[in-house]
Amino acid sequence: MNEKELYKSLMTEIIQKQSVILGPQISILKARNVLSIVVSDDGRVTDIKEDSRKALQDLVDEYVKLSGQIVKNALGSIFSRYPQVERIT
């Protein structure tokens, strides 16, 4: 899997996890606030328009604005499945 596909997969998992917590509509709406990614109606990241790492940081930041530290704690298990990706702080 190339780097872009890796980040798309990771961000899709983050959106899906947030869908469980926030509900799918809010989760996708918040993800679509990140202008550097394209999110399908089912919550999949289909394209990254800019730097993948920055797009990931922007996505996490968008959810943190809504739910604070709880989001970062909930994402730990997802990041553990992507050891190639540097963790977001």
Side-chain angles (χ1 to χ4, degrees), residues 16 20 43 50 55 60 62-64 74 79-80 82:
Q16 290 171 347
V20 172
E50 296 177 13
V60 170
E62 191 64 31
Y63 289 126
V64 168
F79 275 104
S80 69
Y82 294 84

Side-chain angles (χ1 to χ4, degrees), residues 3-15:
E3 182 178 298
K4 188 172 184 177
E5 292 300 316
L6 180 75
Y7 275 86
K8 284 169 42 177
S9 179
L10 171 58
M11 287 189 274
T12 295
E13 281 196 49
I14 290 170
I15 294 167

Side-chain angles (χ1 to χ4, degrees), residues 48-83:
I48 303 171
K49 299 177 185 176
E50 296 177 13
D51 176 64
S52 297
R53 175 147 173 74
K54 182 179 179 334
L56 175 61
Q57 180 70 61
D58 291 347
L59 179 64
V60 170
D61 288 347
E62 191 64 31
Y63 289 126
V64 168
K65 280 191 258 180
L66 186 65
S67 303
Q69 190 61 35
I70 295 168
V71 170
K72 288 186 178 184
N73 294 340
L75 298 181
S77 62
I78 294 173
F79 275 104
S80 69
R81 291 195 297 275
Y82 294 84

